Amino acid sequence: MEALRRYDILDTPPDGAFDRITALASKMFNMPIAIISLVDKDRIWFKSQHGIDGVEQIDREPGLCASAILSKDVYLVENAIEDPRCLANPLVCGEFGLRFYAAAPLHTHDGYNLGTFCIIDKKQRYLSREQMEMLEDLASIVVDEMEIRLASRNSLAKSYQRIAQLEKENNELRKS
């Protein structure tokens, strides 16, 4: 949770860069749904979603992302209705009708999984090894984008601190 908070990304407005990546994934994999999710303490928040307009988060409990972030590799459910990991999941058994789920963890450079980049369908699907690698690459691009934004915020904060310090020193010189 501390690593996730460091990025200060939860509950931020929609972002064109992330939205373009989920739209691209939907096209690349021919999947109706692509999501960049971040797993918070009690919820799974969607930084970007393609194909499920109006849904910003779900409870952590029914979400497959909470399980997927525990994996180092792509978490793959090719037919959820037959997968023992999903039998009690309301997203599978309920009205939504989830059948296919593949997620690559959003793995930070210092070893934390913050969420997932996932693709979803309401019918059984399969991924090749090459497609799983592409999903992992997309997840890495998302993390790189988050790292760039964090570095920019940190640089900007240091610049403001330095400006404040110089202004203080300048004011002290004027008083002397």
Side-chain angles (χ1 to χ4, degrees):
M1 292 294 108
E2 190 175 313
L4 179 58
R5 302 275 182 266
R6 172 177 68 208
Y7 290 90
D8 196 24
I9 194 169
L10 288 173
D11 300 311
T12 57
D15 184 295
F18 294 114
D19 292 344
R20 281 189 299 277
I21 297 170
T22 52
L24 177 64
S26 178
K27 290 176 190 171
M28 283 173 56
F29 296 102
N30 193 27
M31 296 280 173
I33 301 169
I35 301 170
I36 297 170
S37 70
L38 299 167
V39 179
D40 199 1
K41 181 180 174 186
D42 57 353
R43 65 183 174 146
I44 298 171
W45 181 74
F46 302 154
K47 176 58 186 163
S48 177
Q49 70 276 356
H50 178 85
I52 52 167
D53 296 331
V55 180
E56 295 181 0
Q57 67 185 33
I58 61 172
D59 291 338
R60 186 173 171 151
E61 189 55 36
L64 292 170
C65 298
S67 298
I69 66 163
L70 301 176
S71 177
K72 187 177 88 167
D73 302 312
V74 171
Y75 186 91
L76 185 60
V77 176
E78 293 174 333
N79 187 2
I81 202 74
E82 295 176 359
D83 192 309
R85 299 173 293 179
C86 304
L87 293 178
N89 189 307
L91 296 173
V92 175
C93 303
E95 184 180 323
F96 185 75
L98 183 146
R99 292 297 175 264
F100 175 87
Y101 175 85
L106 299 177
H107 189 74
T108 65
H109 302 292
D110 56 349
Y112 296 98
N113 287 349
L114 305 178
T116 66
F117 192 105
C118 62
I119 49 178
I120 297 171
D121 203 335
K122 293 183 178 186
K123 61 183 180 182
Q124 182 175 351
R125 300 287 295 266
Y126 301 94
L127 286 187
S128 68
R129 182 69 225 150
E130 182 181 80
Q131 289 174 313
M132 286 190 271
E133 289 170 2
M134 290 187 324
L135 187 61
E136 290 172 327
D137 287 342
L138 288 171
S140 293
I141 291 169
V142 168
V143 173
D144 289 346
E145 185 70 26
M146 291 171 59
E147 292 286 349
I148 289 168
R149 291 161 190 246
L150 176 61
S152 295
R153 275 196 313 278
N154 290 342
S155 292
L156 194 57
K158 286 180 184 178
S159 294
Y160 286 141
Q161 289 173 349
R162 181 66 179 140
I163 289 169
Q165 179 185 4
L166 290 172
E167 286 175 346
K168 181 180 176 184
E169 290 172 7
N170 189 31
N171 288 337
E172 289 174 1
L173 284 174
R174 286 184 186 176
K175 290 178 184 177
S176 334

